[in-house]
Amino acid sequence: GLAYAGKAPFDTVCIHGIVRDSQGRKMSKSLGNVINPDEVVDQYGADTMRLYEMFMGDFEQAAPWQTSAIAGCNRFLDRVWALSDKLVEGEGYRPQVETLMHQTIKKVSADIEGLKMNTAIAQLMTLVNALYDNGGATKAEFETVVQLLNPFAPHMTEELWEKLGHSHDEQLAYYPWPKYEEAKCVESTVEIAVQVNGKVKARLKVPADITAEDAIATAKADPAV
C-alpha cells in the first residue's frame, strides 16, 4: 500500500469495478480474453479509449467490454469535431436549445462530482444530437460542448479550443467551467397530445405552467382537432 504524510492528495478515490468480456467472464491472461489497450489506442486514439472507459458503465459495477461500443464512442467524437465546421450565426445560446444547454451544464457538472461519468457522456450525446437537429451550433454553444467534453476527451477538445480562436495562453484545462442558471433548466413549454375517441389528432406546444382548463380550451381552438 501507499502511505501519505499529511493530507491525502484526493478527497475521493474510486477504483473501477471488474471489466468483463462480451460473454460476461472476468478478463484474465489464463482465459486469453484480455484486451490490449495499446491496440485500441492505435486504432481509435487515446481520447476514444478514455471516453469509452468512462462511458461503459457505473464505476462501482462490473462492466462488459464491447468493441462495438468503442466504435460508437469514436463516431460521437467524430460528430463533435464535424460540428466545428457547422457553426451558425448567432450570439449566445439560441432559444430552441437554451434550456437543454443549461440542463446539460447542470447534469454533467453534478455527474462528474458523483462519478457518474457514463450518464454525463450520455447527456452530452443528447445535446450534440439536438444541435445537429437545429442545423449546427453557435460559437457559444459549441464552446460549451467542448468545455464539458474536455474531462473525457482532453486532446481533441484542446485542439478544438484553439480552432475556436483561443491562444496557447488560454488552455482549456484551466479555463473557467461553464455556469448554468437554475431558472433556465426548466422547460418553458411542454408538448401535449390531443386525443379524440382514443386517437391522437394533434400535438400542441403550451406553456409549462398552463392550467388544465386553459389546455382544454387551447386544444378545442386548434383547427386540427
Side-chain angles (χ1 to χ4, degrees):
L2 296 176
Y4 295 104
K7 181 174 170 53
F10 305 106
D11 292 328
T12 303
V13 177
C14 183
I15 299 174
H16 205 307
I18 296 171
V19 177
R20 301 187 182 276
D21 67 13
S22 59
Q23 297 177 322
R25 301 174 302 175
K26 181 178 178 180
M27 287 188 178
S28 67
K29 289 184 178 179
S30 61
L31 291 176
N33 60 352
V34 175
I35 301 293
N36 185 340
D38 291 338
E39 294 175 3
V40 178
V41 171
D42 288 343
Q43 184 173 358
Y44 295 106
D47 278 332
T48 295
M49 176 72 181
R50 178 186 176 92
L51 183 77
Y52 173 66
E53 285 183 321
M54 289 186 276
F55 184 57
M56 64 193 302
D58 192 313
F59 271 25
E60 297 177 356
Q61 304 296 323
W65 183 274
Q66 297 176 301
T67 302
S68 59
I70 300 174
C73 286
N74 191 65
R75 285 192 298 272
F76 168 65
L77 293 182
D78 285 345
R79 279 170 62 79
V80 173
W81 185 276
L83 198 57
S84 67
D85 296 320
K86 292 175 67 68
L87 297 185
V88 299
E89 296 294 327
E91 298 293 328
Y93 301 156
R94 292 166 294 171
Q96 59 266 43
V97 297
E98 182 178 44
T99 299
L100 183 58
M101 293 295 304
H102 285 270
Q103 289 173 339
T104 301
I105 296 170
K106 179 179 180 179
K107 181 165 180 56
V108 171
S109 302
D111 283 353
I112 288 175
E113 287 293 324
L115 296 178
K116 304 296 183 183
M117 310 303 183
N118 55 324
T119 53
I121 294 167
Q123 180 69 24
L124 283 169
M125 291 176 173
T126 297
L127 175 59
V128 168
N129 286 339
L131 292 173
Y132 268 94
D133 289 343
N134 283 278
T138 65
K139 183 179 179 183
E141 291 162 0
F142 189 60
E143 282 191 339
T144 297
V145 170
V146 171
Q147 286 178 276
L148 296 177
L149 184 59
N150 180 247
F152 310 105
H155 302 93
M156 187 186 89
T157 49
E158 287 288 357
E159 285 188 52
L160 286 171
W161 196 242
E162 285 192 30
K163 189 177 179 182
L164 284 164
H166 295 274
S167 68
H168 288 292
D169 297 330
E170 294 182 291
Q171 243 189 327
L172 178 53
Y174 301 103
Y175 205 78
W177 188 251
K179 297 183 182 299
Y180 67 91
E181 294 179 41
E182 186 65 47
K184 292 183 178 179
C185 288
V186 180
E187 294 283 358
S188 59
T189 62
V190 294
E191 184 179 77
I192 61 172
V194 182
Q195 293 187 3
V196 177
N197 295 328
K199 294 184 179 180
V200 175
K201 292 293 185 179
R203 294 183 182 277
L204 307 177
K205 286 281 189 179
V206 297
D209 58 355
I210 196 171
T211 64
E213 292 81 6
D214 288 344
I216 293 170
T218 301
K220 287 181 176 179
D222 190 273
V225 178

